[in-house]
Amino acid sequence: MYSYAKTSWDGPVGEVDDTSIFNGAYLRIWIAKSVAGTDPVVRSGNYYGIEAKLENSDYWGNYNNSYTTPTISYPVGSAKAYVDGQLKLEWRNDGKGYLNYDYSASPTV
């Protein structure tokens, strides 16, 4: 199984290239086998390149952008598996640490 995640956003208009929005940000994706009970994660990756994209605007201060992770893979054979993901943002000066924003899992294949 091969997978990647692509996310895009329509951000606000503001100051050009504001690197003070986040203390940290990353996109986490994982492949899980579909089994009875808790589905085991067999491969995962954390991709930190999204923070720079989130804090980068165009010339006019528009924060519209997108980010695509590298591909992850795992041999699942005849087993059923799916990919899931989560955006993790640590907003600067909010004191809450990383907040999780969940994505919908892919269909089981």
Side-chain angles (χ1 to χ4, degrees), residues 32 46 60 86:
N46 295 331
W60 298 275
Q86 195 171 59

Side-chain angles (χ1 to χ4, degrees), residues 1-17:
M1 172 178 240
Y2 295 88
S3 188
Y4 65 91
K6 180 176 182 179
T7 187
S8 59
W9 55 92
D10 183 8
V13 176
E15 170 182 332
V16 174
D17 295 344

Side-chain angles (χ1 to χ4, degrees), residues 3-106:
S3 188
Y4 65 91
K6 180 176 182 179
T7 187
S8 59
W9 55 92
D10 183 8
V13 176
E15 170 182 332
V16 174
D17 295 344
D18 185 356
T19 59
S20 68
I21 298 171
F22 302 104
N23 287 332
Y26 64 97
L27 188 58
R28 181 173 190 266
I29 61 173
W30 59 90
I31 298 172
K33 281 190 177 181
S34 184
V35 297
T38 303
D39 296 339
V41 172
V42 294
R43 178 74 37 93
S44 66
N46 295 331
Y47 303 101
Y48 292 86
I50 194 168
E51 181 178 358
K53 294 271 196 164
L54 286 165
E55 294 180 330
N56 186 31
S57 69
D58 64 15
Y59 179 81
W60 298 275
N62 293 312
Y63 283 84
N64 305 337
N65 215 330
S66 65
Y67 176 74
T68 303
T69 67
T71 300
I72 62 172
S73 64
Y74 187 82
V76 295
S78 62
K80 294 200 179 273
Y82 61 91
V83 178
D84 207 348
Q86 195 171 59
L87 176 61
K88 296 182 172 272
L89 300 177
E90 184 178 3
W91 296 88
R92 187 171 305 276
N93 298 325
D94 75 348
K96 297 180 182 176
Y98 278 97
L99 299 177
N100 300 323
Y101 300 87
D102 295 322
Y103 289 93
S104 298
S106 70

